[in-house]
Amino acid sequence: MKVFCGIDWAESHHDVALVDEAGELLAKRRIGDNAAGYRLLLELLAEYGDSPTAPIPVAIETSHGLLVATLRTAGRKVFAINPLAVSRYRDRHSVSRKKSDPGDALVLANILRTDLHAHRPLPADSDQARALTVLARAQQDAVWNRQQIGNQLRSLLREYYPAALDAFQGKEGGLARPDARAVLAVAPTPARAARLSLNQLRAALKRAGRVRGIDSEAGRLRDIFRAEYAHQPTPVEDAFGQQLLALLKQFDAACQAGDDLAEAVDACFRAHPDAGILLSFPGLGVQLAARVLAEIGDDRERFADARSLKAYSGSAPITRASGKKHYVGRRFIKNNRLMHAGYLWAFASLKASPGAHAHYKRRREHGDWHAAAQRNLLNRFLGQLHHCLQKRVHYDERHAFTSPLSPDLAAAA
């Protein structure tokens, strides 16, 4: 007898339903979100025939958490069903469109009973790949958070402290530079900055870790801070200074978190067997390659072919045809993190790969906008990446882009 399990996930408890292949409800149970509840769930599954050789498939509306980790320990297939899809299936079982947690668990079980072939289980990635996913996403979130706080800091400085923007905004790293944060910490207002001596500026730069050009940089900063600028009234300027110091604490923490996570990603990624293959591609450094690997995983059976990987990333176009209307455009349902990394990858490859540059140039001449040409280039790279990962070979520029290059690109190659 085939048995299917559905679990309606909640924060404090979960509703479980088991059905057979005829749709008959075999059991239903509410378990707690704790170790005792998970043990009760595994005992319930075992009671109805669950075993390491023939595990019962489980449908649930989430792909993460301790409950999912517990279910995946024995190699069980876990299907993460989109809640929007569950709401559509609910209409098949309830005309009144009523919603209940036990009812949703039953709906999830019936989804596997009737349409198991139409849903994909969670990928069987290695623990190392899943750990990399956690670190890479955390590092990406830290970078986005750092950028967001940096934008707030820039907007605040525009209100009362334009000298600070003139001093640091034009340099690589901008306000996120350690020396910029160190100087702003000792001079949060224009009045205090104008009173800084060369020795004080040198000391701030040294605390930030600068070892070269300290004297020249201190002189440049003193000239900028003592130049003529418009000022807020003194009480207002001091209030802005207090706000700046509070924001700087958040900014320092965000910058430190990004750096620490980048080191952790570097160590975890280099230890993965696929690291060498990804780093052989032009435009991929350690952090960017780690993000790509984190999103595609290392389950070789996850994507049946390169087209599946391209569709998952959103680089492959989608066709919408109805009646006389026919439209080919970009995908909106995709892995947004992978697509974000893909844009950076395609852009960085333009200087690192003559073939990629020529391909991008042909797409622009064909009429594509910049973003469309980048998506097309990423689409090609993902096909090559799928081939290299399946065959366990490194990227080869001579085989990747076989179209003839223009004379200037050929000379560069």
Side-chain angles (χ1 to χ4, degrees):
M1 180 178 64
K2 292 184 178 180
V3 179
F4 306 92
C5 176
I7 301 177
D8 183 74
W9 177 89
E11 185 173 337
S12 59
H13 64 269
H14 315 294
D15 285 277
V16 183
L18 297 176
V19 300
D20 61 14
E21 53 190 336
E24 185 73 22
L25 178 64
L26 301 176
K28 63 178 182 178
R29 194 74 56 85
R30 171 167 287 188
I31 63 172
D33 186 40
N34 49 42
Y38 302 158
R39 191 182 311 111
L40 182 63
L41 171 61
L42 295 179
E43 291 173 355
L44 179 65
L45 293 175
E47 182 181 346
Y48 285 90
D50 182 75
S51 66
T53 57
I56 294 176
V58 177
I60 191 170
E61 292 178 307
T62 182
S63 61
H64 56 273
L66 290 173
L67 175 59
V68 175
T70 301
L71 291 170
R72 298 182 68 180
T73 51
R76 183 181 294 101
K77 287 187 176 181
V78 178
F79 296 80
I81 310 297
N82 190 303
L84 184 62
V86 176
S87 69
R88 299 296 184 267
Y89 276 97
R90 191 184 301 123
D91 293 342
R92 297 168 57 179
H93 301 276
S94 174
V95 178
S96 63
R97 297 184 179 181
K98 65 178 182 180
K99 184 184 185 307
S100 67
D101 293 343
D104 281 353
L106 181 60
V107 169
L108 285 162
N110 279 309
I111 289 176
L112 294 187
R113 180 180 66 85
T114 59
D115 293 328
L116 179 65
H117 63 282
H119 298 276
R120 292 192 302 176
L122 294 177
D125 292 330
S126 66
D127 291 343
Q128 190 176 8
R130 292 165 62 189
L132 179 62
T133 301
V134 173
L135 291 173
R137 289 182 175 180
Q139 195 273 338
Q140 190 175 31
D141 290 339
V143 170
W144 289 341
N145 185 45
R146 181 181 63 191
Q147 183 63 47
Q148 183 180 24
I149 298 177
N151 291 339
Q152 296 176 17
L153 191 63
R154 179 179 176 275
S155 298
L156 177 62
L157 292 174
R158 285 178 55 87
E159 292 288 329
Y160 79 107
Y161 200 168
L165 295 177
D166 292 342
F168 304 113
Q169 195 69 19
K171 287 183 168 288
E172 182 179 357
L175 297 172
R177 295 169 59 90
D179 52 351
R181 290 181 277 129
V183 172
L184 289 176
V186 298
T189 64
R192 292 176 62 176
R195 293 195 299 267
L196 288 177
S197 65
L198 286 176
N199 288 335
Q200 290 173 320
L201 287 169
R202 292 192 194 100
L205 294 174
K206 289 179 181 178
R207 283 196 301 271
R210 190 178 181 111
V211 295
R212 293 183 178 181
I214 294 179
D215 292 337
S216 61
E217 179 66 9
R220 186 185 72 87
L221 292 176
R222 185 184 64 172
D223 293 340
I224 293 177
F225 290 151
R226 295 185 178 182
E228 183 178 356
Y229 291 94
H231 287 267
Q232 294 274 8
T234 302
V236 177
E237 188 175 277
D238 292 339
F240 275 122
Q242 292 296 323
Q243 183 182 0
L244 175 65
L245 290 175
L247 197 57
L248 273 176
K249 293 180 180 179
Q250 301 178 42
F251 198 38
D252 288 336
C255 292
Q256 187 62 48
D259 294 340
D260 292 344
L261 287 169
E263 293 180 4
V265 169
D266 188 290
C268 185
F269 173 72
R270 292 186 185 278
H272 196 279
D274 294 341
I277 296 177
L278 275 90
L279 290 177
S280 67
F281 278 78
L284 280 184
V286 171
Q287 298 298 323
L288 200 54
R291 292 182 188 179
V292 174
L293 180 58
E295 299 306 323
I296 66 176
D298 56 4
D299 181 6
R300 294 291 172 263
E301 298 181 358
R302 180 179 186 180
F303 303 104
D305 50 28
R307 294 177 61 187
S308 301
L309 174 58
K310 295 174 181 178
Y312 174 72
S313 70
S315 64
I318 188 170
T319 302
R320 296 178 175 88
S322 177
K324 296 182 179 180
K325 294 182 179 180
H326 184 87
Y327 170 76
V328 179
R330 65 187 180 94
R331 293 175 182 265
F332 291 92
I333 306 301
K334 58 186 182 299
N335 185 316
N336 291 320
R337 289 182 182 270
L338 181 55
M339 176 53 72
H340 181 270
Y343 275 123
L344 298 177
W345 177 11
F347 184 75
S349 69
L350 297 181
K351 288 188 177 180
S353 169
H357 187 197
H359 182 87
Y360 170 83
K361 189 175 180 180
R362 282 195 297 271
R363 296 304 307 179
R364 292 302 306 272
E365 292 173 351
H366 183 70
D368 286 353
W369 291 92
H370 170 70
Q374 278 193 308
R375 280 197 305 273
N376 191 282
L377 178 58
L378 173 62
N379 199 53
R380 183 155 183 170
F381 270 136
L382 288 175
Q384 297 163 0
L385 177 61
H386 182 270
H387 170 80
C388 291
L389 290 175
Q390 293 290 340
K391 302 297 182 181
R392 308 303 302 168
V393 296
H394 284 201
Y395 172 86
D396 188 345
E397 180 82 11
R398 295 170 298 176
H399 295 91
F401 296 95
T402 56
S403 301
L405 302 177
S406 62
D408 55 339
L409 293 176

